[in-house]
């Protein structure tokens, strides 16, 4: 009835010619009091009556204007009413509707409930469709009737309003929300985004009919603004212009030095993460990867490390680039192959770097790389030829690389590239059945031991992901000699050699690439092979302490006695019917017997020498098992008691060149000595003793014992970091030093001290450099370090006012950037795959701490929340009957049901609660500035369309607090920080943007 009465009232006022003022007084008497009269469809009723004839009714329009000015009707109801008018042929009516829009479109806002704000979004989408349809209608008319001033004027009027609306980021943001609402609700109302897209197509088609060039250009501009709405979040400011990117460099250094066996995909993900967060252009990004590879090649210590870097550069990195090529690229319009070409063009200019690498490797490194990239389809043939010829020309003028003595040495890159197919062949050979004639297999293995073949093959296998299957095959081979049936002396020696060579190779693999390569895959048969058992219980490794009295070193007494007798009497060990794995397990106990006898004066030095000669005379594995136990034993002794066991170790390390040793003795001894040297390094260093006289200019074991003696570790950390900062990049040596400091001091100590280094930095560009370097150093164990940084260090800084001064800019802003980078990296990689071997090596020290800091029973406030006493008492600003009642800390992650048992999720949720309470408090300072920088960085690093970013842990009520900070009160930022996939997220965003 009310609607009918309303129509009658409008007609009566028109008949009696009431002024707008009179009309308002009368209408307010007869109708109920309310904030707006939208529920009566008041604006629509007035509009209908005003637009009955060919031209609008001026009196009723004046009533509508009065209703808008006195806020009797909401803007959204007026816009909705306008968008329902479809008589575009009545140009005068359309003009008057456009003039009504002009009354308020420059100050569109809504301070009502969330539903009203969503209503405004929908109304704006409706009016956008209406304006586009108007433009399409007039373009069509121009086609039918030819040039017409009145139609052109109407088209121009529609275009101007369209442009005015779309130029406003705020209005585009509100339409964006309506578009997302529209995707969820199936109703195809006239104001749906699908209709807008159709209208855009119609206008685009009709543009050819617009004779006025200026108008046509303006229409095109307006259309492009409409088309940009779905992409609002992907538009990013240009990245800062610079040439070097320490994070990429250091990350490649880290992977090449410590993670050659790592999977390719996690490395690709991490690289893409760095590229995206720092917005690095693709050619410079690829260039930085190559620069790091060449630097690694040049500075790697000779021997195994150099081969590892060569394999990393020539085998692994091309594969990484191949994956990057398949990765969905964010750089539009540029082909990846072109980017690789551009990167090589830049690299060619770095002649000193390339010359030094060529000198080191004794070949033209770049040309070989270009060939590899060309094979994989990363470079086109013409580009490859062009780049190769340029490098050849440059080399004409570079210092002579070939000298007489290195002319015969084969360059490593060539050897590595040839070793890669050999690995596959060897794997096939070892797989064949050798029970009938194992001699053939022995030939292959002997060949592998000669020169640097083994290291070459292992490096090639590690870089191509075949090392695990390599190790599995050798474990199988090591098990093979267990099974003896009646054998002659020839087959006994073959069996002894198969056992020994496979044992040596496996020890070497463990020391070069870590025991994870061997232990990560459980054996299919279910029983643990001998070597795995021995490795876990008996083999000394860096950072692993063994108990010399462990039962594993104490086999059956009978076997030990017979072994001692055998070693003591026989001048020559018999091989027939010997079970080598049992002998290896009995050796430590036999050595203990010998040592006790020597110390008690029962044996002379000569007798002990004879025994040790016997041990290493045939099978080197025995000597290794003996040294493994002696190392564990020496570790437990005082300095004065160490002399005799250390003498035994030296005797075992020295090769025994007797006449009757088994085949391949010299090759096996070289590997044996290197294995023992690694085992003893830590123990001998404790007392400053040496295993053997040092060789001039040769590091005994690269990257071992880098910590300066007699210096507190915090000084060593600070000093090394300052060196790295001045240099501008992290080298392999520094990474190893940082890793040993991390293992020694623990995660909290390491992270806290490096953050202190960051907060000291008061110069803008240096603070930025520190962030990039620290981010890459933190890649040593991103997950643990991120938990400590976000869960302990930041809350300490933010909740204690004594620390606030340290958060002022530039260091505060730099810390915010670093925190976001770490959080994003950890969050994106954490759920994707297993930890790398490097990160598993250290004891996990976090999970219990985080559960006590942030208890799981959510009714009990966590320590952090008690610290903060957040504004729980304020009523929820957004609750409405349709909502489930919102606690003031409800976030998208809770609505997406994210697993809160995960420490990282707990830490992020609590950090955002802390941030929220800082924004809600009445106290401003550097800590609020930090929060602002933190959120701006979150938005900057946001990946377009990514669900599940760290922002999902932000409480929804925080948005209304954020808008109070001028720097964050921008439509794009609000769209970015709210989860628009959720109805609640869209309502929060609409409410915040409408109020801007």
């Amino acid at each position: 009835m009310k609607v009918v009465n309303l129509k009658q009232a409008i007609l009566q006022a028109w008949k009696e010619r009431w002024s707008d003022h009179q009309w308002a007084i009368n209408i307010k008497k007869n109708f109920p009091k309310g904030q707006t009269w939208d529920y009566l469809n008041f604006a629509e009723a007035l509009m209908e009556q005003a637009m009955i004839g060919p031209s609008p009714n001026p009196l009723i329009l004046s009533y509508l204007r009065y209703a808008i000015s006195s806020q009797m009707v909401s803007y959204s109801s007026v816009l909705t009413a306008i968008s329902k008018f479809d008589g575009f042929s009545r140009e005068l009516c359309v003009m008057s509707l456009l003039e009504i829009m002009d009354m308020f479109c420059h100050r569109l806002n809504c301070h009502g409930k969330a539903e009203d704000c969503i209503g405004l979004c929908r109304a704006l989408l409706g009016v956008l469709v209406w304006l586009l349809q108007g433009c399409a209608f007039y373009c069509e008319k121009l086609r039918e009737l030819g040039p017409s001033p009145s139609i052109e004027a109407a088209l121009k009027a529609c275009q101007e309003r369209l442009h005015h609306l779309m130029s406003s980021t705020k209005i585009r943001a509100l339409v964006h929300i309506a578009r997302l609402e529209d995707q969820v609700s199936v109703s195809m109302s006239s104001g749906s985004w699908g209709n807008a897209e159709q209208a855009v197509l119609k206008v685009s088609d009709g543009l050819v009919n617009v004779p006025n060039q200026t108008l046509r250009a303006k229409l095109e501009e307006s259309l492009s603004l409409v088309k940009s709405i779905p992409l609002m979040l992907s538009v990013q400011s240009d990245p800062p212009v610079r040439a070097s990117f320490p994070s990429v460099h250091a990350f490649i250094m880290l992977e090449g030095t410590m993670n050659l066996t790592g999977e390719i995909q996690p490395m690709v993900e991490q690289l893409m993460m760095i590229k995206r967060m720092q917005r690095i252009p693709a050619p410079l990004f690829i260039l930085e990867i190559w620069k790091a590879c060449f630097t690694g090649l040049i500075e790697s210590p000779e021997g195994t490390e150099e081969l590892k870097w060569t394999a990393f550069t020539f085998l692994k990195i091309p594969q990484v680039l191949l994956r990057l090529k398949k990765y969905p690229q964010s750089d539009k319009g540029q082909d990846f192959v072109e980017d690789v070409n551009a990167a090589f063009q830049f690299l060619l200019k770095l002649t000193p770097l390339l010359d030094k690498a060529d000198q080191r490797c004794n070949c033209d490194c770049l040309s070989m790389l270009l060939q590899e990239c060309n094979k994989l389809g990363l470079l086109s043939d013409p580009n490859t030829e062009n780049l190769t010829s340029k490098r050849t020309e440059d080399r004409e003028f570079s210092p002579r690389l070939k000298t007489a003595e290195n002319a015969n040495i084969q360059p490593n890159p060539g050897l590595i590239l040839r070793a890669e197919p050999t690995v596959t062949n060897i794997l096939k050979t070892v797989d064949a059945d050798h029970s009938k004639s194992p001699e053939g297999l022995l030939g292959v293995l002997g060949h592998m031991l000669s020169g640097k073949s083994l290291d070459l093959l292992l490096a090639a296998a590690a870089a191509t992901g075949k090392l695990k299957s390599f190790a599995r095959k050798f474990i199988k081979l090591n098990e093979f000699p267990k099974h003896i049936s009646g054998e002659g002396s020839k087959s006994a020696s073959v069996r002894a050699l198969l056992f020994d060579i496979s044992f040596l190779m496996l020890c070497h693999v463990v020391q070069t690439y870590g025991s994870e390569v061997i232990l990560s895959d459980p054996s299919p048969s279910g029983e643990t092979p001998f070597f795995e058992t021995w490795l876990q219980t008996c083999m000394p490794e860096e950072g692993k302490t063994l108990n010399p009295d462990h039962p594993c070193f104490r086999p059956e007494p009978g076997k030990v006695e017979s072994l001692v007798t055998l070693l003591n009497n026989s001048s020559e060990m018999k091989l027939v019917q010997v079970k080598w794995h049992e002998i290896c397990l009995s050796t430590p106990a036999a050595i203990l017997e010998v040592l006790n006898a020597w110390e008690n004066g029962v044996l002379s030095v000569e007798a002990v020498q004879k025994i040790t000669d016997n041990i290493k005379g045939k099978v080197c594995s025995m000597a290794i098992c003996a040294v493994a136990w002696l190392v564990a034993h020496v570790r437990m002794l005082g300095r004065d008691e160490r002399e005799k066991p250390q003498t035994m170790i030296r005797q075992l390390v020295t090769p025994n060149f007797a006449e009757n040793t088994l085949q391949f003795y010299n090759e096996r001894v070289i590997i044996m000595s290197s294995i023992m040297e690694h085992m003893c390094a830590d123990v001998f260093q404790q007392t400053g003793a040496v295993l053997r006289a040092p060789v001039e200019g040769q590091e005994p074991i690269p990257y071992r014992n880098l910590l300066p003696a007699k210096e507190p570790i915090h000084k060593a950390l600070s000093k090394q970091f300052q060196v790295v900062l001045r240099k501008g990049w992290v080298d392999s040596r520094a990474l190893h030093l940082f890793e040993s400091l991390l293992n020694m001091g623990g995660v909290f100590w390491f992270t806290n001290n490096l953050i202190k280094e960051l907060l000291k930095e008061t110069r803008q560009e240096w603070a930025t450099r520190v962030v990039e370097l620290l981010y890459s150093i933190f890649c040593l164990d991103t997950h643990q370090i991120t938990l400590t940084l976000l869960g302990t260090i930041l809350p300490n800084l933010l909740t204690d006012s004594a620390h606030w001064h340290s958060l002022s800019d530039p260091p505060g802003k730099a810390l915010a950037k670093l925190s976001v980078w770490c959080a994003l990296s950890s969050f994106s990689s954490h759920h994707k795959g297993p930890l790398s071997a490097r990160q598993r090596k250290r004891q996990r020290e976090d999970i219990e701490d985080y559960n006590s800091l942030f208890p799981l029973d959510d009714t009990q406030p966590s320590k952090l929340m008690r610290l903060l006493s957040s504004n729980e008492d304020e009523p929820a600003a957004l609750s409405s009957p349709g909502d489930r009642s919102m606690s003031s800390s409800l976030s998208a992650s809770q609505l997406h049901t994210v697993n809160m048992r995960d420490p990282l999720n707990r830490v992020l949720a609590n950090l955002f609660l802390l941030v929220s309470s800082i924004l809600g408090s009445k106290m401003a300072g550097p800590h609020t500035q930090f929060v602002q920088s933190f959120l701006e960085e979150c938005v900057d690093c946001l990946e377009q369309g990514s669900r599940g970013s760290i922002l999902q842990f932000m409480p929804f009520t925080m948005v209304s607090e954020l808008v109070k900070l001028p720097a964050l009160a921008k439509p794009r930022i609000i769209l970015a920080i709210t989860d628009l996939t959720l109805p609640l997220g869209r309502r929060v965003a609409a409410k915040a943007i409408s109020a801007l």
Side-chain angles (χ1 to χ4, degrees):
M1 281 306 290
K2 279 179 184 163
V3 180
V4 176
N5 293 346
L6 183 60
K7 281 191 177 169
Q8 284 175 345
I10 294 169
L11 284 170
Q12 187 183 348
W14 173 67
K15 278 177 191 162
E16 297 177 12
R17 299 294 188 270
W18 291 350
S19 68
D20 50 12
H21 187 65
Q22 241 177 328
W23 171 78
I25 294 169
N26 284 328
I27 207 115
K28 282 179 183 174
K29 271 185 205 160
N30 293 325
F31 286 93
K33 293 180 175 58
Q35 206 176 3
T36 65
W37 292 16
D38 287 353
Y39 72 99
L40 293 173
N41 278 348
F42 195 45
E44 204 175 315
L46 283 167
M47 197 87 73
E48 259 179 35
Q49 297 299 321
M51 298 293 162
I52 286 172
S55 62
N57 183 319
L59 186 59
I60 299 181
L61 275 186
S62 72
Y63 299 163
L64 178 59
R65 285 205 174 87
Y66 190 92
I68 293 169
S69 306
S70 58
Q71 291 184 345
M72 288 163 71
V73 290
S74 69
Y75 297 149
S76 52
S77 70
V78 178
L79 290 173
T80 308
I82 290 175
S83 62
K84 287 183 179 171
F85 180 79
D86 55 3
F88 288 113
S89 52
R90 292 184 278 162
E91 285 137 39
L92 292 172
C93 290
V94 172
M95 286 298 205
S96 57
L97 290 179
L98 293 174
E99 282 160 16
I100 285 173
M101 278 173 65
D102 293 344
M103 286 178 68
F104 58 84
C105 276
H106 56 287
R107 52 185 165 87
L108 269 175
N109 51 28
C110 173
H111 296 281
K113 294 207 266 314
E115 277 91 353
D116 302 339
C117 301
I118 287 284
L120 178 60
C121 296
R122 289 201 172 110
L124 280 165
L125 176 55
V127 94
L128 165 66
V129 172
W130 182 77
L131 286 169
L132 285 166
Q133 286 170 341
C135 292
F137 177 86
Y138 295 124
C139 287
E140 181 60 23
K141 277 278 172 262
L142 286 170
R143 186 181 70 77
E144 289 170 10
L145 307 174
S148 153
S150 63
I151 291 176
E152 210 169 288
L155 176 60
K156 187 166 184 279
C158 284
Q159 178 274 322
E160 279 170 358
R161 272 50 169 210
L162 178 65
H163 192 270
H164 177 255
L165 278 181
M166 289 297 101
S167 311
S168 153
T169 317
K170 171 179 169 175
I171 288 174
R172 290 207 308 280
L174 292 171
V175 173
H176 182 56
I177 294 172
R179 181 180 84 85
L180 296 170
E181 279 281 314
D182 186 47
Q183 285 171 354
V184 178
S185 62
V186 191
S187 67
M188 286 294 288
S189 65
S190 60
S192 78
W193 182 251
N195 296 356
E197 288 178 318
Q198 285 170 359
V200 166
L201 289 174
K202 276 188 190 160
V203 179
S204 305
D205 294 346
L207 282 175
V208 288
N209 309 315
V210 181
N212 184 332
Q213 290 294 331
T214 319
L215 179 55
R216 190 189 302 180
K218 283 185 175 171
L219 263 170
E220 281 173 347
E221 195 183 324
S222 307
L223 289 180
S224 66
L225 283 170
V226 177
K227 288 177 194 165
S228 74
I229 291 174
L231 308 170
M232 280 201 76
L233 285 178
S234 57
V235 182
Q236 287 190 318
S237 51
D238 290 335
V241 179
R242 58 212 170 111
S244 70
F245 302 91
S247 295
V248 180
H249 196 107
F251 179 69
I252 293 291
M253 277 299 192
L254 180 68
E255 289 290 311
T257 310
M258 297 184 184
N259 203 18
L260 181 60
T261 54
E263 299 278 324
I264 287 185
Q265 196 52 35
M267 182 176 167
V268 170
E269 299 278 345
Q270 182 69 40
L271 279 169
M272 282 310 288
M273 191 83 195
I274 298 173
K275 179 177 184 292
R276 209 169 38 235
M277 290 191 305
Q278 301 184 22
R279 308 214 289 282
I280 307 173
L284 293 179
F285 172 65
I286 300 165
L287 170 68
E288 198 66 57
I289 293 176
W290 288 129
K291 270 163 61 179
C293 286
F294 278 104
T295 312
L297 265 181
I298 291 164
E299 64 169 30
S300 55
E302 263 179 55
T304 317
E305 292 299 321
E306 186 184 349
L307 291 177
K308 280 162 101 171
W309 262 106
T310 312
F312 181 73
T313 306
F314 288 86
L315 294 176
K316 191 165 185 178
I317 289 294
Q319 289 298 328
V320 167
L321 289 180
L322 197 57
R323 293 271 177 104
L324 285 171
K325 183 184 175 185
K326 292 173 186 162
Y327 211 93
Q329 291 297 319
S330 50
D331 302 6
K332 293 280 176 287
Q334 178 79 322
D335 178 23
F336 190 78
V337 176
E338 274 310 307
D339 291 333
V340 174
N341 180 39
F344 275 121
Q345 296 282 6
F346 290 139
L347 188 61
L348 272 176
K349 297 193 172 94
L350 305 176
T351 317
L353 179 77
L354 299 177
D355 286 352
K356 207 153 170 72
D358 287 358
Q359 214 165 344
R360 175 72 201 265
C361 297
N362 191 26
C363 66
D364 182 353
C365 292
L366 189 69
S367 299
M368 291 178 96
L369 255 187
L370 293 170
Q371 291 307 320
E372 282 309 295
C373 290
N374 177 253
K375 270 185 220 163
L376 292 173
L378 292 165
L379 270 178
S380 64
D381 293 345
N383 285 346
T384 311
E385 282 166 27
N386 173 26
L387 290 161
T388 311
S389 62
K390 275 188 186 169
R391 178 64 192 142
T392 314
E393 282 166 29
D394 289 346
R395 284 182 54 139
E396 291 297 315
F397 303 105
S398 56
R400 298 261 48 87
L401 300 174
K402 285 217 183 302
T403 55
E405 68 268 18
N406 69 9
N408 306 324
I409 302 171
Q410 284 195 296
N412 283 336
L415 292 172
I416 278 283
L417 291 170
R418 284 208 295 283
E420 194 247 338
T422 315
V423 170
T424 319
N425 294 337
I426 287 177
L427 288 175
K428 280 183 196 156
T429 310
V430 177
D431 253 349
D433 180 15
H434 298 288
S435 47
K436 302 284 182 293
S437 60
E439 295 82 359
L441 183 59
L442 203 53
V444 175
L445 296 182
H447 181 66
M448 281 177 73
L449 291 178
S450 61
K452 55 182 178 185
S453 295
L454 182 60
D455 279 330
L456 267 168
L457 291 165
L458 291 180
T464 51
K466 297 192 182 103
L467 190 60
K468 275 184 186 172
S469 51
F470 220 75
R472 285 248 74 81
K473 300 274 188 290
F474 284 107
I475 283 180
K476 208 164 128 192
L477 198 60
N478 189 255
E479 291 290 287
F480 169 69
K482 272 186 183 176
H483 318 292
I484 323 165
S485 47
E487 64 174 359
S489 61
K490 185 172 183 221
S491 57
S493 68
V494 169
R495 200 168 52 79
L497 280 169
L498 284 179
F499 176 83
D500 200 38
I501 292 176
S502 56
F503 188 90
L504 287 169
M505 283 179 172
L506 286 165
C507 285
H508 186 62
V509 167
V510 167
Q511 287 183 337
T512 317
Y513 296 101
S515 50
E516 292 76 17
V517 176
I518 285 169
L519 298 175
S520 53
D521 301 343
S523 68
S525 61
E527 67 173 280
T528 313
F530 157 71
F531 185 80
E532 283 189 36
T533 314
W534 183 82
L535 165 63
Q536 284 173 296
T537 48
C538 310
M539 181 168 174
E541 286 183 90
E542 193 179 6
K544 175 169 151 190
T545 308
L546 298 168
N547 169 13
D549 300 326
H550 190 279
C552 71
F553 292 123
R554 299 279 165 275
E556 300 157 36
K559 288 182 180 169
V560 177
E561 272 172 43
S562 60
L563 179 60
V564 172
T565 317
L566 184 72
L567 292 171
N568 209 4
N569 302 337
S570 145
S571 60
E572 172 85 7
M573 262 188 89
K574 297 286 177 281
L575 305 173
V576 179
Q577 297 294 319
V578 173
K579 294 191 170 175
W580 289 110
H581 56 285
E582 285 181 7
I583 294 270
C584 281
L585 289 175
S586 308
T587 303
I591 286 286
L592 176 60
E593 296 284 321
V594 173
L595 189 59
N596 285 340
W598 186 18
E599 285 181 339
N600 293 320
V602 179
L603 286 176
S604 65
V605 178
E606 289 75 29
V608 173
Q609 178 75 58
K610 187 178 132 193
I611 290 171
T612 53
D613 282 354
N614 246 338
I615 287 176
K616 66 191 179 192
K618 291 270 186 266
V619 177
C620 298
S621 320
M622 278 177 75
I624 287 175
C625 293
V627 170
W629 177 79
L630 281 165
V631 165
H633 179 65
V634 168
R635 207 180 265 275
M636 303 299 165
L637 300 176
R639 185 165 189 164
D640 308 337
E641 305 162 298
R642 290 185 170 195
E643 189 190 344
K644 283 190 168 68
Q646 285 191 342
T647 305
M648 282 185 87
I649 290 177
R650 286 196 186 92
Q651 286 177 351
L652 287 163
V653 169
T654 318
N656 174 14
F657 295 111
E659 286 304 302
N660 52 8
T661 51
L662 282 176
Q663 212 178 342
F664 306 123
Y665 185 70
N666 296 359
E667 291 87 343
R668 284 182 294 137
V669 161
I670 291 170
I671 296 185
M672 175 189 87
S673 303
S674 123
I675 291 167
M676 289 180 182
E677 204 174 318
H678 274 85
M679 284 179 170
C680 305
D682 293 351
V683 171
F684 275 81
Q685 192 214 5
Q686 287 173 354
T687 54
V690 286
L691 190 57
R692 59 166 86 148
V695 183
E696 181 69 33
Q698 194 181 341
E699 259 190 277
I701 302 175
Y703 305 134
R704 201 69 168 272
N705 313 324
L706 295 171
L707 282 175
K710 299 176 184 167
E711 184 176 79
I713 56 172
H714 73 88
K715 265 196 182 159
L717 181 68
S718 180
K719 201 186 264 179
Q720 181 61 56
F721 184 70
Q722 288 307 320
V723 169
V724 162
L725 181 58
R726 279 195 301 278
K727 205 172 178 183
W729 50 279
V730 190
D731 59 13
S732 302
R733 195 185 166 79
L735 282 168
H736 274 278
L737 180 53
F738 282 130
E739 194 191 30
S740 42
L741 287 165
L742 171 59
N743 290 334
M744 197 174 284
V747 179
F748 175 78
W749 172 86
F750 183 78
T751 315
N752 197 31
N753 279 299
L754 284 175
I755 294 297
K756 282 179 186 168
E757 295 291 328
L758 166 60
L759 293 176
K760 282 182 204 165
E761 208 43 78
T762 51
R763 295 163 295 178
Q764 178 74 55
E765 61 197 86
W766 283 77
T768 309
R769 182 189 276 194
V770 173
V771 171
E772 296 191 353
L773 291 171
L774 277 187
Y775 172 72
S776 45
I777 292 167
F778 285 175
C779 285
L780 282 166
D781 192 344
T782 309
H783 189 60
Q784 288 295 303
I785 288 175
T786 301
L787 285 176
T788 306
L789 175 61
L790 306 183
T792 313
I793 296 171
L794 279 189
N796 288 347
L797 289 170
L798 291 170
T799 49
D800 182 352
S801 52
H803 293 310
W804 286 354
H805 67 279
S806 65
L807 291 174
S808 49
D809 288 350
K813 194 172 180 121
L815 178 59
K817 188 185 275 283
L818 179 64
S819 307
V820 172
W821 286 6
C822 287
L824 282 171
S825 295
S826 199
F827 191 73
S828 68
S829 63
H830 173 50
H831 307 290
K832 278 189 177 151
L835 293 165
S836 77
R838 197 178 58 247
Q839 296 172 357
R840 270 197 303 270
K841 195 159 66 179
R842 208 176 42 262
Q843 297 300 307
R844 315 313 295 151
E845 56 185 55
D846 63 328
I847 307 297
E848 293 73 19
D849 306 350
Y850 291 101
N851 281 353
S852 63
L853 184 59
F854 314 128
L856 258 177
D857 172 12
D858 291 322
T859 54
Q860 173 197 359
S862 69
K863 282 184 196 170
L864 232 181
M865 289 315 297
R866 287 202 299 280
L867 269 174
L868 307 174
S869 63
S870 101
N871 48 354
E872 295 286 319
D873 45 6
E874 293 178 11
L878 280 161
S879 24
S880 65
D883 265 351
R884 60 174 179 144
S885 70
M886 271 179 49
S887 82
S888 71
S889 60
L890 187 65
S891 68
S893 64
Q894 282 157 292
L895 293 173
H896 282 308
T897 59
V898 168
N899 169 23
M900 290 314 269
R901 285 182 178 276
D902 181 89
L904 181 63
N905 292 350
R906 305 180 73 76
V907 163
L908 285 166
N910 277 279
L911 180 65
F912 275 104
L913 282 176
L914 168 55
V915 163
S916 181
S917 75
I918 288 173
L919 285 172
S921 69
K922 305 292 177 276
M923 180 92 163
H927 61 307
T928 35
Q929 180 63 40
F930 173 85
V931 165
Q932 179 178 314
S933 303
F934 182 82
L935 288 160
E936 283 178 324
E937 190 61 36
C938 282
V939 172
D940 269 356
C941 294
L942 196 72
E943 189 185 351
Q944 162 67 2
S946 66
R947 261 271 311 279
S949 106
I950 56 172
L951 282 164
Q952 65 180 320
F953 294 97
M954 187 184 77
F956 277 125
T957 42
M958 194 167 125
V959 178
S960 52
E961 295 295 338
L962 277 181
V963 182
K964 295 174 188 170
L965 294 173
L968 297 175
K970 295 173 185 155
R972 188 175 165 270
I973 287 186
I974 296 169
L975 287 179
I977 58 182
T978 43
D979 188 332
L980 299 174
T981 58
L982 294 169
L984 186 56
R986 294 194 290 275
R987 294 172 52 193
V988 169
K991 190 167 168 31
I993 295 172
S994 304
L996 291 178

